[in-house]
Amino acid sequence: MPPPTEPMEPTEPMEPARSAPRGGEALLRELEVLVQDVVRTSSWWERHGVDCAILALSLLALPAGFLCLRWENALVFASGITILGVCHYTLTVKGSHLATHGALTESKRWSKIWLLFFVEVCTAFTAEHATHGHIKMHHAYTNVVGLGDSSTWRLPCLNRYVYMFLAPFLLPIATPLVAVERLRKVELGTALRTLALISLGLYSHYWLLLNVSGFKNPSSALGCMFLTRSLLAHPYLHVNIFQHIGLPMFSRDNKPRRIHMMSLGVLNLARLPVLDWAFGHSIISCHVEHHLFPRLSDNMCLKVKPVVSQFLREKQLPYNEDSYLARFQLFLRRYEEFMVQAPPITELVGLQ
C-alpha cells in the first residue's frame, strides 16, 4: 500500500479568477497534483524520518558538547562551543519551524507535544504567538504590507552596520523577553505553562554547564549560554530578511493569487551545508517550495524542488534564487531602501 498523501495546509479562500491565460487557481491545482504524486510515492523515511533523525542526532550530540567544555585545551573547548551552538540552532530553528507547521508527524497529539518542546523549552518563545505570527500571518499574507511583510525584522533606528553586524547578538536575550511580554495576551493557564517550559529550558542549559561542563561561577556559565545561543544568530537574522524583503510587496485589498504571491515574493538561497543542517532546506534552499506547500518536511521540500522549479519556469512564473553573499552585499548597498523606507506596493494587473 502506498503511504497516505500528506495534507496541504489550509489556505485562504480565493476570489473567482479573472480572465488570464491560466488562472492562478488552476495553476496551483495542477502543481498540487504533481507534488502530491511525489509525496504519495515517498516512504515515511523520506517524508518524516530524515528530519527526525537530524533532530535526534542533535539531541544525542549535546552530551559530547557539554563534556568538551570541561577541557582546558582551546581546540576541544571551541569544539564544544561549536557542537552546542549548531545543535541549539538545529533544535530551535529547524525543529521549531517543522513543529510549527506540523511537519514532523501526522499525529495531531505528537505535533502539539513537539511544538511545545521545540518552541517553548528549546527556543524560549511562546507556541501560540509563534503559530499565529508564522502560520496565520506570514504564510497566509506573504509580503502583504502590514500583515506578512516581515516588517517585524525592521529596526529603522539602527544603521546598516549596527543592524547587520551587531543586532544579531541581541537575539538570545530578546527572544525570551519578547515571549514574556506577549504572555499578557494569553490566558493565565497558557501563560503559566509557557513560563514553566521556558524556565525549564533555560535552567537546564545553565545547570548542565555548572554540573557537567564544570563551570565554577554563574557569570561564566551565563556567558557560555550567550555564546552558544548566538553562534548562528547572524545568518538567522540575515536569512529572515533576505528571502522576502526587497521582493514585490502587495496591498491587502489587491494581493495576487497564491501561486503568484509565492513565486514573486519568496526567494531561495543557494545551498549552504551548515545552514541546510541547522535551519533546514525549507528555510534556505527550498523556501519557495515551502511557502507553496508548508506542510512538507525539509527533506520533502528538497525532493519536490525540481518539480516546482520546472513547473514555474514552464509557466513563465518567477522562481527567485540568489546566493547568501549576493543578498548580503545587496542589503548593505540598499539598506535604507529595504529596511528603513516604506516598501513600494507592486500592482499586478489581472492576477488578483
Side-chain angles (χ1 to χ4, degrees):
M1 291 288 291
T5 303
E6 187 159 15
M8 295 298 175
E9 189 158 349
T11 59
E12 292 185 302
M14 296 186 178
E15 307 88 344
R18 298 181 181 179
S19 57
R22 290 295 303 279
E25 288 181 349
L27 286 172
L28 185 56
R29 283 196 299 268
E30 185 179 345
L31 179 57
E32 283 179 349
V33 170
L34 296 174
V35 170
Q36 289 287 21
D37 286 342
V38 177
V39 174
R40 190 178 297 110
T41 57
S42 299
S43 65
W44 176 88
W45 175 255
E46 292 174 304
R47 288 182 288 116
H48 301 295
V50 172
D51 294 296
C52 288
I54 290 173
L55 294 171
L57 286 172
S58 297
L59 286 170
L60 292 173
L62 290 176
F66 283 109
L67 289 172
C68 284
L69 298 183
R70 296 184 66 91
W71 291 65
E72 296 182 0
N73 182 282
L75 182 60
V76 177
F77 187 87
S79 298
I81 294 292
T82 302
I83 291 171
L84 292 178
V86 172
C87 289
H88 172 76
Y89 276 88
T90 305
L91 298 173
T92 60
V93 179
K94 180 186 179 72
S96 293
H97 189 233
L98 292 175
T100 301
H101 283 285
L104 286 172
T105 175
E106 294 167 12
S107 165
K108 291 184 178 181
R109 181 181 180 184
W110 277 104
S111 291
K112 178 65 174 179
I113 293 172
W114 291 131
L115 177 66
L116 295 177
F117 173 72
F118 286 115
V119 175
E120 299 197 346
V121 177
C122 297
T123 310
F125 200 65
T126 164
E128 281 72 22
H129 280 86
T131 302
H132 175 79
H134 190 70
I135 304 295
K136 297 182 179 180
M137 299 300 291
H138 177 63
H139 272 270
Y141 299 98
T142 300
N143 282 31
V144 175
V145 173
L147 294 171
D149 60 352
S150 301
S151 58
T152 54
W153 293 100
R154 289 189 172 95
L155 291 173
C157 59
L158 301 181
N159 69 45
R160 69 195 67 199
Y161 300 107
V162 172
Y163 183 90
M164 300 293 281
F165 294 102
L166 298 180
F169 288 118
L170 295 175
L171 288 175
I173 299 171
T175 299
L177 294 179
V178 171
V180 171
E181 187 276 331
R182 293 188 177 181
L183 290 181
R184 296 183 296 107
K185 302 176 182 178
V186 301
E187 296 179 356
L188 179 60
T190 301
L192 292 175
R193 181 211 70 204
T194 299
L195 280 175
L197 292 178
I198 289 176
S199 300
L200 174 64
L202 293 174
Y203 184 75
S204 296
H205 192 175
Y206 174 75
W207 186 90
L208 288 167
L209 288 172
L210 290 178
N211 294 277
V212 176
S213 301
F215 283 84
K216 301 301 183 183
N217 58 74
S219 60
S220 60
L222 291 172
C224 187
M225 283 181 66
F226 174 79
L227 186 58
T228 56
R229 287 171 178 255
S230 61
L231 187 70
L232 296 179
H234 286 74
Y236 176 68
L237 184 146
H238 296 161
V239 165
N240 273 284
I241 64 175
F242 290 170
Q243 294 182 310
H244 295 284
I245 296 176
L247 298 174
M249 295 284 173
F250 316 107
S251 67
R252 181 173 185 174
D253 298 328
N254 204 29
K255 65 183 185 297
R257 303 290 187 176
R258 180 177 174 80
I259 192 168
H260 298 294
M261 182 189 295
M262 302 312 172
S263 64
L264 286 163
V266 185
L267 177 140
N268 286 344
L269 292 173
R271 295 191 64 177
L272 295 165
V274 174
L275 299 188
D276 282 342
W277 177 275
F279 295 174
H281 299 299
S282 61
I283 291 181
I284 302 300
S285 59
C286 303
H287 205 50
V288 174
E289 291 75 11
H290 169 64
H291 267 263
L292 286 167
F293 305 100
R295 289 287 303 236
L296 295 183
S297 65
D298 287 336
N299 187 64
M300 284 306 302
C301 282
L302 187 64
K303 187 174 181 180
V304 304
K305 181 182 175 75
V307 175
V308 174
S309 60
Q310 181 180 352
F311 179 87
L312 294 180
R313 286 168 175 147
E314 285 179 353
K315 304 303 180 183
Q316 298 183 335
L317 294 172
Y319 187 74
N320 299 310
E321 295 181 294
D322 207 350
S323 69
Y324 184 101
L325 180 59
R327 295 297 286 178
F328 184 85
Q329 293 171 337
L330 177 67
F331 270 72
L332 278 182
R333 289 197 310 270
R334 302 174 65 180
Y335 179 83
E336 292 288 328
E337 175 187 348
F338 289 166
M339 302 298 294
V340 178
Q341 301 171 10
I345 303 296
T346 300
E347 298 290 348
L348 301 172
V349 178
L351 296 183
Q352 287 76 21

